Amino acid sequence: MNNDDKRFKLPGSPWFYIVLALVVMVTVNAFTMSRLGGSVQTVDYSTFTEMVEKGQVEAVEIGSSVITFTTKGGTLFSQSARYQTVAIDDQYLVERLLQYGVSFAGEQVGLSLFDILLVYVLPLAFYGLLIFWVIKLLRGGMSGGIGAMGFGKSSAKLYEVSATSKKFTDVAGQDEAKEALIELVDFLHQPEKYRSIGAKLPKGALLVGPPGTGKTLIAQAVAGEAGVPFFFVSGSAFVEMFVGAGAARVRDLFKQANEKAPCIVFIDEIDAIGKKRDTSGINVNDEREQSLNQLLAEMDGFDPNKGIVVLGATNRPEILDKALLRPGRFDRRIAVDLPDLKGREAVLKVHARPIHMGKDVDYTAIAKATVGASGADLANIINEAALRAVRMGHPAVLQQDLEAAVDTVIAGSERKSLVVPPKEKRMIACHEIGHALVAAKEKNAAPVHKITIIPRTSGALGYTMQVDEDEHVLHSREDLLARMTVLTAGRAAEQFMFGTCTTGASNDIEQLTRLARSMVTRFGMSGKFGMMSLESGGSAYLGMDGQLTCSLDTATLVDQEVQRLIGESFDRATQILKENAAKLSQLTNYLLEKETLLGDEFMEILNASAPEALEKQSAPPAESGDPA
């Protein structure tokens, strides 16, 4: 980033110097008046006229409200002979003074040093400072923003090449994205190699992917590898309430880029400025559309041989304007997806570099337990593990610290102060064992990794973690039905063991309904509708649901089909629990005692043919509603 200007600055607050100056002025004024003015005695007007008639008065100053005079034998500045009295309307005063030979004059109007500063200097200084502050505010200098007089100035931050610049070695888990960008870096390094055969540098590349996958980090790494300046700006920085301000900022940004070429311009969240142009009445946004039009014109107008590359990042590519995505503007679309198992392991190792890690740390195990985690999530896990290691007094980050950090990031911290009544705690344990037992018996379900009934700050009173041994890019209908059966197993266990149900299944119901609806409307896995698409829209990277594209009658049938799938899954889960009622009761009691049960231990107990040791450790039998 540009170095700040090194200017001399006075220490302390400016108000201190203002108060100090006022104190000095008052002190100097008081000292001057005491030296020049002297002491004054006050007499009444009759005494004054009597002293004049007796010839005791030598000089008189006649003011508008006060008459100042000195007696003979002193001077006007003699403190011992100076008097004053109240001026009254006396038409014979001047005649009397002439009669007795008294010299007189009018009041000497003059301002003291304090009066001059108070009347002239301070008001001028105040208004001068006010005008300076207003101008600086309008220019955006008070807070680093863009003011009314700086509408056309770009707020892009410029990062110059330095020893701390990001490199591709700082990016892990995105090998395909890095390979797609290496050519841009090579072109910036060796432009003549490409120009010799007539090849042109791609004007832009669009990075798309879920939040937290490292789109900004990759753009910084490209600039660091190429060794060129890097302009960073958010798409929302171009959109203002004043029409024309955004377009002016786009022009200024590319003007700066031309001066710094070769360079990289990175526009984060480009969907804020590049959203599809719409003419449907109230949806028209003149300011945003003018900014987009200016961006399109600038990307068409600049010379690619100068080495200016525009990188954009978004997690909503489906709403971008087609004119922005066409070749010649953003020539390449690079997917920055969630890392796979190998990628997650590499990301963990990158973020663990500055951390003192223990020798027994198994990154593969942590990577398997964090399916669907982004790079930002994995970085947070490493940091949480380091914080826990410090709290626990460990000399380095141990495996148990990493496993606890995974739980913290997924479900929140432990709520140790929460007291759960014994009956409710038993129902929670039964609920989680129901999930785990059905998952173990379902052929297409992922293996159980961990079961816990320790409350978490996310609101979870317990959870069952499943970790698949292999990575999947496709899911069969059987896989999804098995997942639905596992989700219904918690509620099924409650009803089977206690004859009632609780609010603990709310999250399960939400996931279950979304999955069943997707099978019907998006995946074509319903016998009633077949391969008919009933939903459109939504975001592939933000997890936003789409909208039904069918009639109201069909929507009713969709609801009925979803209800049927859920009902069949619930019946399947109930049947499995009935067939393993004894194990359900035993494992529930064991989990109540241990509170946390690992997957291997769970499977060992489940597959044991003689659970005498388990029965000895178990809690008292379940209530009357327990069939076991």
Side-chain angles (χ1 to χ4, degrees):
M1 187 181 295
N2 290 339
N3 295 327
D4 295 332
D5 295 335
K6 297 182 178 179
R7 300 174 181 174
F8 174 76
K9 297 182 179 180
L10 293 174
S13 173
W15 290 106
F16 168 77
Y17 296 98
I18 294 175
V19 173
L20 179 62
L22 291 175
V23 171
V24 171
M25 287 188 293
V26 171
T27 303
V28 171
N29 182 71
F31 177 77
T32 303
M33 292 300 296
S34 65
R35 292 295 302 270
L36 297 178
S39 60
V40 179
Q41 300 180 33
T42 302
V43 297
D44 54 29
Y45 190 77
S46 60
T47 303
F48 164 63
T49 56
E50 183 180 351
M51 293 175 69
V52 171
E53 293 173 355
K54 290 182 179 180
Q56 297 176 353
V57 177
E58 181 178 10
V60 175
E61 288 182 4
I62 304 174
S64 58
S65 59
V66 177
I67 297 176
T68 304
F69 62 96
T70 57
T71 58
K72 290 183 178 180
T75 64
L76 182 63
F77 301 104
S78 175
Q79 297 181 10
S80 61
R82 192 173 184 213
Y83 299 88
Q84 69 178 15
T85 184
V86 178
I88 63 175
D89 188 11
D90 185 356
Q91 59 181 338
Y92 302 107
L93 176 59
V94 174
E95 182 180 348
R96 187 181 296 113
L97 293 176
L98 291 173
Q99 179 181 354
Y100 292 100
V102 179
S103 62
F104 62 91
E107 181 180 16
Q108 296 181 359
V109 179
L111 296 175
S112 64
L113 177 62
F114 179 78
D115 294 332
I116 294 174
L117 292 173
L118 185 64
V119 175
Y120 295 105
V121 178
L122 287 181
L124 290 176
F126 171 76
Y127 287 114
L129 288 174
L130 180 62
I131 294 172
F132 174 77
W133 180 80
V134 171
I135 292 176
K136 196 169 185 180
L137 179 64
L138 292 176
R139 289 180 175 174
M142 298 300 294
S143 60
I146 300 297
M149 298 180 67
F151 286 151
K153 298 296 182 181
S154 171
S155 59
K157 297 179 181 179
L158 173 61
Y159 295 86
E160 297 286 359
V161 182
S162 65
T164 59
S165 297
K166 300 294 183 182
K167 299 295 180 66
F168 279 152
T169 54
D170 298 314
V171 181
Q174 300 294 344
D175 296 336
E176 293 80 6
K178 289 193 292 186
E179 289 177 4
L181 292 169
I182 284 176
E183 192 174 67
L184 298 180
V185 175
D186 189 47
F187 192 103
L188 294 173
H189 275 304
Q190 308 176 69
E192 294 302 327
K193 182 174 71 173
Y194 295 87
R195 293 172 186 167
S196 61
I197 61 173
K200 295 181 180 180
L201 175 68
K203 289 187 177 182
L206 185 65
L207 306 175
V208 297
T213 50
K215 297 183 287 294
T216 303
L217 179 62
I218 290 177
Q220 292 176 337
V222 172
E225 291 286 345
V228 297
F230 178 78
F231 287 92
F232 174 85
V233 64
S234 173
S236 60
F238 296 108
V239 183
E240 284 284 351
M241 64 179 293
F242 303 101
V243 177
R249 293 181 186 181
V250 172
R251 288 192 295 270
D252 186 68
L253 172 61
F254 280 89
K255 178 182 178 182
Q256 295 180 41
N258 274 288
E259 294 172 354
K260 291 287 185 177
C263 65
I264 291 176
V265 177
F266 178 63
I267 305 176
D268 197 13
E269 303 298 343
I270 196 172
D271 50 273
I273 182 178
K275 189 176 180 181
K276 292 178 182 177
R277 287 167 289 187
D278 191 2
T279 57
S280 57
I282 61 174
N283 292 326
V284 176
N285 188 322
D286 290 336
E287 165 60 4
R288 180 180 55 77
E289 291 188 4
Q290 285 197 20
S291 302
L292 173 59
N293 292 336
Q294 188 64 44
L295 176 62
L296 298 176
E298 292 291 343
M299 293 189 69
D300 274 341
F302 71 82
D303 185 2
N305 292 324
K306 287 188 175 182
I308 301 176
V309 178
V310 181
L311 297 179
T314 181
N315 41 43
R316 303 179 66 190
E318 68 278 355
I319 69 170
L320 293 180
D321 195 275
K322 292 183 179 180
L324 188 64
L325 299 177
R326 72 161 176 80
R329 291 189 177 120
F330 283 106
D331 301 277
R332 295 185 177 181
R333 178 167 171 169
I334 301 172
V336 187
D337 290 322
L338 294 172
D340 56 11
L341 176 61
K342 182 180 177 181
R344 291 194 299 274
E345 186 175 350
V347 172
L348 288 169
K349 291 179 179 179
V350 167
H351 291 293
R353 288 176 187 170
I355 308 296
H356 189 194
M357 307 296 291
K359 296 181 180 180
D360 65 333
V361 170
D362 185 1
Y363 293 104
T364 303
I366 302 301
K368 287 183 177 180
T370 52
V371 177
S374 66
D377 295 329
L378 298 173
N380 192 23
I381 288 173
I382 293 292
N383 186 61
E384 288 290 343
L387 295 176
R388 185 182 186 274
V390 173
R391 289 196 304 269
M392 303 300 292
H394 298 161
V397 176
L398 306 179
Q399 184 72 14
Q400 58 180 321
D401 296 322
L402 285 169
E403 292 176 353
V406 172
D407 294 339
T408 300
V409 172
I410 292 176
S413 304
E414 296 182 5
R415 295 182 62 185
K416 299 179 180 179
S417 61
L418 180 63
V419 179
V420 181
K423 182 178 179 181
E424 294 183 8
K425 192 171 184 179
R426 174 174 289 277
M427 297 184 76
I428 295 170
C430 178
H431 180 107
E432 299 304 333
I433 289 296
H435 284 307
L437 197 152
V438 173
K441 295 298 181 178
E442 275 290 285
K443 179 181 178 180
N444 295 284
V448 176
H449 178 72
K450 184 178 183 179
I451 314 166
T452 181
I453 56 172
I454 299 176
R456 297 281 173 169
T457 54
S458 64
L461 298 175
Y463 66 90
T464 300
M465 180 187 296
Q466 297 174 252
V467 176
D468 211 328
E469 296 178 353
D470 301 317
E471 289 283 326
H472 292 282
V473 294
L474 293 175
H475 296 279
S476 66
R477 185 174 187 272
E478 291 72 22
D479 293 337
L480 299 183
L481 289 175
R483 175 63 179 158
M484 290 177 59
T485 303
V486 173
L487 287 171
T488 61
R491 171 61 64 84
E494 292 176 3
Q495 292 191 356
F496 174 61
M497 293 285 285
F498 301 95
T500 185
C501 57
T502 68
T503 58
S506 60
N507 184 256
D508 298 333
I509 295 172
E510 182 181 351
Q511 295 184 54
L512 175 67
T513 305
R514 183 183 297 112
L515 180 56
R517 186 169 293 275
S518 296
M519 290 179 64
V520 175
T521 61
R522 294 171 54 199
F523 303 148
M525 294 181 178
S526 167
K528 182 180 290 294
F529 298 103
M531 296 177 61
M532 180 178 179
S533 176
L534 301 171
E535 182 179 294
S536 65
S539 174
Y541 300 114
L542 296 181
M544 298 170 58
D545 295 332
Q547 296 180 346
L548 289 178
T549 55
C550 59
S551 65
L552 294 178
D553 293 337
T554 305
T556 301
L557 296 177
V558 168
D559 293 338
Q560 294 175 358
E561 185 69 6
V562 170
Q563 186 178 14
R564 183 187 67 82
L565 290 174
I566 294 175
E568 291 179 354
S569 298
F570 182 83
D571 293 340
R572 169 66 178 161
T574 302
Q575 181 64 31
I576 293 175
L577 293 174
K578 287 181 179 180
E579 294 172 357
N580 299 271
K583 291 291 185 181
L584 175 62
S585 178
Q586 293 169 359
L587 287 167
T588 298
N589 293 334
Y590 190 69
L591 182 59
L592 275 172
E593 180 183 349
K594 299 296 183 180
E595 291 191 333
T596 299
L597 191 60
L598 296 180
D600 294 339
E601 187 179 5
F602 167 77
M603 292 303 299
E604 182 179 352
I605 296 171
L606 182 63
N607 296 327
S609 58
E612 290 83 2
L614 174 62
E615 291 177 347
K616 293 180 182 179
Q617 297 179 352
S618 298
E623 288 105 8
S624 58
D626 189 345

